[in-house]
Amino acid sequence: MSSAVELRAPGPRGIPPLFARLIDDAALFPPGDASVPEAVASHLEARDGTFGGLVGPMLCKASRLAELITELAKSKPARPVELSLVCDTGLGGVPKALSIIEGRTELLALRMVEMPAPSDVDDVWLERVSEFVPEDVVRVVEPRRGEGWLDGVKRVADYGCWPKLRCGGQTAESFPTVDVVADFLAVASTLEVPFKTTTGLHRAVRGADPETGFEQHGFLNLLVATAKSLTGGDVRGALANTDEAALTEQAEGLSQDAANAVRDVFSSYGSCSLSTPVDDLEELGLL
């Protein structure tokens, strides 16, 4: 397993290993859709705050990179903001974006490059990804769900890229079922690289969104389910569980080694809010 420890080392305030740098800042993406000034202010406040050890890179589309740099230049951060660049302009736009970032290292530190895969996740495309993205930057690829998509997940990992699992979106169909996520974990727990998730994990524990009514996965569910997948436990039961006390007890029962093993498989998830996950974990007594 290629370790993700360097991307999630606990902060100086001793965040538990299970949650260290778990939350990638996706404030610029739906359903948050924050403005760039709002997102930058929120990110800097969160990363330098009491629970800054929970916060990972900030996600930004390549098409909005100039906006982000302009706002960061105004904000003058004490240290560079860690960045996950989301390729919305195709692979051809990656070299230019990387060149821009390299010219503003006082503002940005590139950690990841994320992109959707073509429908067939072919070898030629994956080789181009490897050519365009430097070796010291994590490459994250999202295979499209559908028939044979788990083969695509394996192929992505074979090229050293981290697979990304989309856990939600703007429609009910965007949210994968418990069975789909369980099948994904069965594969992901055997790979040599971690995975990350995006969209849909808004709360710690599984439940229906009060505004849309969509049943949403919980990030605590996914952490516990990952632990179950590594030990032959009931993965589907963990994903479907809505009992906050039971999930909290299972999370607290993980040893430090077990927590590290979980995070070597499940690296992080993108959240449009940095405060909601903290509030949930505090309410559950896990921080």
Side-chain angles (χ1 to χ4, degrees):
M1 177 72 66
S2 175
S3 177
V5 169
E6 69 277 5
L7 288 174
R8 57 172 174 79
R13 299 170 186 87
I15 298 296
L18 189 62
F19 309 117
R21 293 179 59 79
L22 175 67
I23 310 165
D24 294 342
D25 185 355
L28 293 173
F29 293 78
D33 290 323
S35 68
V36 171
E38 290 171 337
V40 167
S42 174
H43 183 84
L44 295 179
E45 180 181 6
R47 77 162 192 182
D48 298 330
T50 302
F51 298 114
L54 285 166
V55 181
M58 185 175 189
L59 279 70
C60 180
K61 293 179 180 178
S63 60
R64 303 191 72 180
L65 184 58
E67 290 181 72
L68 178 62
I69 288 174
T70 298
E71 188 59 35
L72 286 173
K74 294 177 184 177
S75 301
K76 297 181 174 61
R79 65 183 189 280
V81 167
E82 295 184 332
L83 174 70
S84 183
L85 180 71
V86 178
C87 297
D88 64 333
T89 55
L91 275 179
V94 172
K96 180 180 179 181
L98 296 185
S99 177
I100 293 172
I101 294 167
E102 288 172 3
R104 303 309 303 263
T105 54
E106 79 282 8
L107 299 177
L108 291 170
L110 183 63
R111 294 290 182 256
M112 295 181 180
V113 174
E114 306 186 30
M115 64 207 79
S119 57
D120 53 356
V121 201
D122 64 280
D123 293 342
V124 173
W125 184 84
L126 286 167
E127 288 174 359
R128 291 185 67 208
V129 171
S130 300
E131 291 171 3
F132 284 171
V133 182
E135 290 185 0
D136 60 348
V137 175
V138 173
R139 304 181 299 273
V140 181
V141 175
E142 179 187 343
R144 299 181 185 179
R145 287 201 303 272
E147 185 177 353
W149 80 288
L150 292 176
D151 291 332
V153 169
K154 295 175 186 176
R155 192 172 301 116
V156 163
D158 286 343
Y159 276 82
C161 303
W162 293 11
K164 179 161 67 173
L165 172 67
R166 184 167 295 274
C167 285
Q170 302 301 301
T171 65
E173 293 74 23
S174 302
F175 293 82
T177 65
V178 164
D179 285 341
V180 168
V181 178
D183 290 344
F184 173 85
L185 287 178
V187 170
S189 61
T190 68
L191 301 177
E192 294 298 318
V193 293
F195 74 89
K196 66 170 295 185
T197 72
T198 183
T199 309
L201 298 174
H202 300 304
R203 307 304 298 260
V205 177
R206 180 180 180 86
D209 184 290
E211 294 183 5
T212 64
F214 299 158
E215 193 71 19
Q216 298 183 336
H217 296 282
F219 66 82
L220 189 61
N221 293 81
L222 194 54
L223 287 166
V224 172
T226 302
K228 300 288 187 184
S229 74
L230 293 172
T231 58
D234 183 4
V235 174
R236 285 172 171 77
L239 290 170
N241 197 346
T242 58
D243 187 330
E244 295 181 355
L247 282 169
T248 299
E249 182 179 0
Q250 291 177 65
E252 288 179 323
L254 295 175
S255 67
Q256 181 166 327
D257 286 345
N260 286 334
V262 167
R263 296 298 308 286
D264 279 343
V265 174
F266 174 22
S267 175
S268 62
Y269 81 97
S271 175
C272 62
S273 169
L274 294 177
S275 60
T276 299
V278 172
D279 292 344
D280 279 5
L281 290 173
E282 281 193 297
E283 186 175 334
L284 296 173
L286 291 169
L287 291 179

